[in-house]
Amino acid sequence: MGTVSAVRMETYLAVARHGSIRRAAAQLHITEAAASAAVAHIEKQLGAKLIAKSGRGIVLTDAGRVYAEYCRSILGLMREAQAAVRRADTGRLRIGVVATAGEYVLLRPLAAFRDRYPDIEVGLSIHPRDMLFLELQHHESDLVIAGRPPREAGLVVRARRPSCLVVVGSPGRCPDPLRATWLLRGHGSGTRATTLALLDRLQIRPPTLTLGTHGAVLAAAREGLGVTLIHGDAVESHLAAGHLEILPVEGTPLDRPWYAVTTPTPTPPARLFIDHLLHHAAPGDRAFEAVPAP
């Protein structure tokens, strides 16, 4: 069996992502014939059917879905290998972060890091927690700052920063939070999962409203549409200004630190950033703490 080039893998992943030869070709700036030929070549090499027609588009077969996951990991490892042999202070750092941590935890240390290492190219990926850890497993990012990773993911927690989740609402608008509408983040959010678990523990089934983004949930809580479970980091200024208040709910506040997470073989720029988090915090910042190796 012959080998499959990285270019053909990239083409196949584009086809898989878009569900269309035409859209994949447009994204890659190649002809539809070239994109179709790349997929056909891979299928011939593997002796397996990877895509099937579905209406005007295509869908992945079971084998196609499995192969796409391997392609993601292989291409991610190739990019990681290239980064690993460059000088740490001139490479590329791809950080994945959940929206709340991105806005309230990451920005100050990231700005200081870029001042220290101006030649490192930094890229940010802001997604729900589950998607971020999947990207990290596929080596599509170098470092994630979010809640604790799944135990079976094979990822390594390098540092932690104290934080807690509290229930908040508009002052005077939600006298009984257990009967109020609970405002939820979108699917894949760790905070959403924690909120639903809390409601189960409290054995209540209040009305819920899914608003998706962190900003929408926060704005809705300020306007009195309901209550929400949220990181204390995100509401400090709103509490101080009197726009929100912490509501007493059994089982809260919940201890939910932020974690800096890598693969078992972090890239040199990722190691530099972890060191920066641990030893170069700005005055007044809550410091990250090292997490001993398991």
Side-chain angles (χ1 to χ4, degrees), residues 210-226:
T210 296
L211 293 166
T213 68
H214 161 76
V217 169
L218 190 55
R222 288 184 55 176
E223 294 301 323
L225 285 177

Side-chain angles (χ1 to χ4, degrees), residues 262-284:
T262 72
T263 64
T265 55
T267 62
R271 290 196 294 267
L272 274 183
F273 191 75
I274 295 294
D275 178 77
H276 177 78
L277 288 178
L278 293 173
H279 303 296
H280 300 281

Side-chain angles (χ1 to χ4, degrees), residues 149-212:
R151 294 184 185 278
E152 68 279 6
L155 303 173
V156 180
V157 173
R158 305 290 177 177
R160 68 186 295 277
R161 177 186 181 276
S163 186
C164 64
L165 291 167
V166 294
V167 179
V168 300
S170 180
R173 300 285 292 274
C174 303
D176 184 357
L178 300 188
R179 295 179 181 275
T181 297
W182 283 66
L183 308 170
L184 300 176
R185 299 284 297 276
H187 293 281
S189 161
T191 304
R192 175 191 176 94
T194 302
T195 301
L196 296 177
L198 174 64
L199 299 181
D200 283 342
R201 287 199 301 273
L202 294 171
Q203 297 184 335
I204 60 173
R205 292 290 183 272
T208 61
L209 178 60
T210 296
L211 293 166

Side-chain angles (χ1 to χ4, degrees), residues 61-114:
T61 64
D62 289 342
R65 284 189 289 272
V66 170
Y67 189 67
E69 292 300 301
Y70 275 101
C71 285
R72 289 181 66 181
S73 294
I74 291 167
L75 292 171
L77 275 170
M78 290 173 67
R79 288 188 285 268
E80 189 174 291
Q82 292 169 358
V85 298
R86 298 183 185 132
R87 283 178 47 194
D89 58 357
T90 59
R92 185 181 182 201
L93 176 63
R94 302 165 300 173
I95 301 176
V97 62
V98 294
T100 307
E103 187 171 352
Y104 299 101
V105 178
L106 178 65
L107 292 184
R108 287 186 67 184
L110 181 59
F113 179 80
R114 293 196 66 187

